[in-house]
Amino acid sequence: MTLSEQQLSLIEEFGIYQENNGFQPAVARVMGLLLVSDRAELTFDDISETLNISKSATSNALNMLLNTGHIEYTTFPGDRKRYFRIKSSNWRDLFSKKMEDLSHLNGLLKRVMEVRKRENPIYDTKLNDFISFLDYMKNKLPDLIDEWEMTRK
Amino acid sequence: MTLSEQQLSLIEEFGIYQENNGFQPAVARVMGLLLVSDRAELTFDDISETLNISKSATSNALNMLLNTGHIEYTTFPGDRKRYFRIKSSNWRDLFSKKMEDLSHLNGLLKRVMEVRKRENPIYDTKLNDFISFLDYMKNKLPDLIDEWEMTRK
DNA sequence: TCATTAGTTCATAATTTGCAGAACTAAATT
DNA sequence: AATTTAGTTCTGCAAATTATGAACTAATGA
């Protein structure tokens, strides 16, 4: 398993991106490696050796990614190794997560409006606008996704 | 500065939300307090005392939020205190951040496609689909925002 | 039956982070 | 001139996070 300079730095960049999404550093690197490697499926030892992380860290990372549905594995008859790969169905989930997150934010902001009693309602208007904006987005996004599906056919 | 139970727990919930967006706990609580408090503008000491955080943590949090444009302050003649408030123009930024983040991801994924040479191109299709989906979203979102603006008039 | 493979689990070490407290500054007030 | 106000900066600690290495297991193979 040798990787080009570009692959190595993409693993790091993607790793940092995923750290910001709440993944542990090593876990994020494993995702990066599975994403950029020329082979789609890698073994435990491929991953451990290529990324220079211990077996325990590798085990922990792979199990976490399996549990959260980010990766999966196949096996081959007469071969005890597991071959890990990114679960491609999960790409769309990255997008959905962001949208759900905005929905969560919107819920919080609606509660803020119920709870606080501002003597000066100027600031209320802005926040209400934003809430309505998020509501609008939430309604329209499914349509947008459908439209995109149509362009593919 | 007394807060209701609901206000206190909203500060915590919003705080956790913002921690997940990469803010330090104390910084996230300051945002939460400025968001839910009945008064729109609070002083250094209001914040420090209400949240029970030290002056250094308060100073640090306020300066970070000022630097990142999340809050601003006014002053009043003959009063040395600063009165901090959430920068309401920044609501929309919360949304933009999520979108920029997806754009960043898309950039990384495009580089992945350039760099990796898969013998088995089945997985390439899925990733290319996702890239094209993100491109589509990025193009259409400004229109969606415009549409929303129209509904307001 | 002994060794190897493919991992897992556990205790512990190494960082990182987040915050407090004390000492400090600079302006305003007494 | 001394004190108060409104913060800022610096040092260091405590807790949390992350990774390691060693010991373990369970299955396979020689």
Side-chain angles (χ1 to χ4, degrees), chain A residues 62-119:
Chain A
L62 289 174
N63 286 320
M64 126 87 46
L65 290 170
L66 285 170
N67 287 332
T68 54
H70 288 91
I71 64 171
E72 59 191 357
Y73 63 85
T74 19
T75 51
F76 299 98
D79 183 352
R80 215 145 41 100
K81 289 194 188 81
R82 293 178 292 174
Y83 292 80
F84 298 96
R85 62 164 174 257
I86 290 207
K87 216 165 165 177
S88 54
S89 62
N90 262 57
W91 285 121
R92 203 72 72 78
D93 293 358
L94 286 175
F95 183 80
S96 314
K97 282 270 170 53
K98 300 277 173 200
M99 297 307 124
E100 280 164 27
D101 193 62
L102 284 172
S103 199
H104 178 196
L105 173 62
N106 204 14
L108 289 174
L109 296 180
K110 284 174 181 175
R111 283 171 58 204
V112 166
M113 287 307 300
E114 285 165 21
V115 156
R116 78 183 189 186
K117 315 182 198 64
R118 286 275 163 95
E119 49 269 17

Side-chain angles (χ1 to χ4, degrees), chain B:
Chain B
M1 278 287 307
T2 37
L3 297 168
S4 68
E5 276 305 312
Q6 296 166 58
Q7 279 169 315
L8 287 171
S9 63
L10 257 177
I11 291 172
E12 292 310 310
E13 286 185 63
F14 184 79
I16 290 169
Y17 177 82
Q18 288 296 56
E19 279 183 50
N20 292 330
N21 280 303
F23 292 93
Q24 293 183 350
V27 175
R29 298 306 177 282
V30 171
M31 297 181 81
L33 173 58
L34 290 174
L35 181 59
V36 308
S37 88
D38 293 330
R39 259 181 287 152
E41 290 164 344
L42 301 179
T43 67
F44 188 102
D45 285 335
D46 288 337
I47 294 164
S48 176
E49 285 162 22
T50 311
L51 294 176
N52 270 301
I53 55 182
S54 68
K55 297 204 329 165
S56 52
T58 307
S59 174
N60 167 60
L62 289 172
N63 286 319
M64 127 84 48
L65 290 171
L66 285 169
N67 287 331
T68 53
H70 288 90
I71 63 172
E72 60 191 357
Y73 63 86
T74 22
T75 51
F76 299 98
D79 182 352
R80 217 145 40 100
K81 290 192 186 82
R82 293 179 291 175
Y83 292 80
F84 298 95
R85 63 164 173 256
I86 289 208
K87 215 166 167 177
S88 53
S89 63
N90 260 57
W91 284 121
R92 203 74 71 76
D93 292 359
L94 286 175
F95 183 80
S96 313
K97 281 269 169 55
K98 300 276 172 199
M99 296 308 123
E100 279 164 27
D101 192 64
L102 284 172
S103 199
H104 177 197
L105 174 62
N106 204 14
L108 289 173
L109 295 181
K110 283 175 181 174
R111 284 170 59 205
V112 166
M113 287 307 300
E114 285 166 20
V115 155
R116 77 183 190 186
K117 318 182 197 59
R118 288 274 164 95
E119 50 269 14
N120 184 345
I122 285 177
Y123 301 101
D124 283 5
T125 319
K126 296 280 187 180
L127 188 47
N128 271 323
D129 279 359
F130 185 60
I131 288 171
S132 112
F133 172 72
L134 288 178
D135 278 335
Y136 188 83
M137 288 298 149
K138 195 184 174 180
N139 275 324
K140 291 290 182 173
L141 270 173
D143 298 351
L144 211 57
I145 293 170
D146 289 346
E147 281 173 37
W148 175 75
E149 302 276 8
M150 298 304 274
T151 67
R152 316 248 86 204
K153 307 264 161 61

Side-chain angles (χ1 to χ4, degrees), chain A residues 4-57:
Chain A
S4 69
E5 275 306 312
Q6 297 164 59
Q7 280 169 314
L8 287 171
S9 61
L10 256 178
I11 290 171
E12 292 308 312
E13 287 185 61
F14 184 80
I16 289 169
Y17 178 82
Q18 288 295 56
E19 280 184 48
N20 292 330
N21 280 301
F23 292 92
Q24 294 182 348
V27 174
R29 299 304 177 283
V30 170
M31 295 181 82
L33 172 59
L34 290 175
L35 181 60
V36 309
S37 88
D38 293 330
R39 259 181 287 149
E41 289 164 346
L42 301 178
T43 67
F44 188 103
D45 284 336
D46 288 337
I47 294 164
S48 176
E49 285 162 21
T50 311
L51 294 177
N52 271 300
I53 55 181
S54 65
K55 296 203 327 164
S56 49

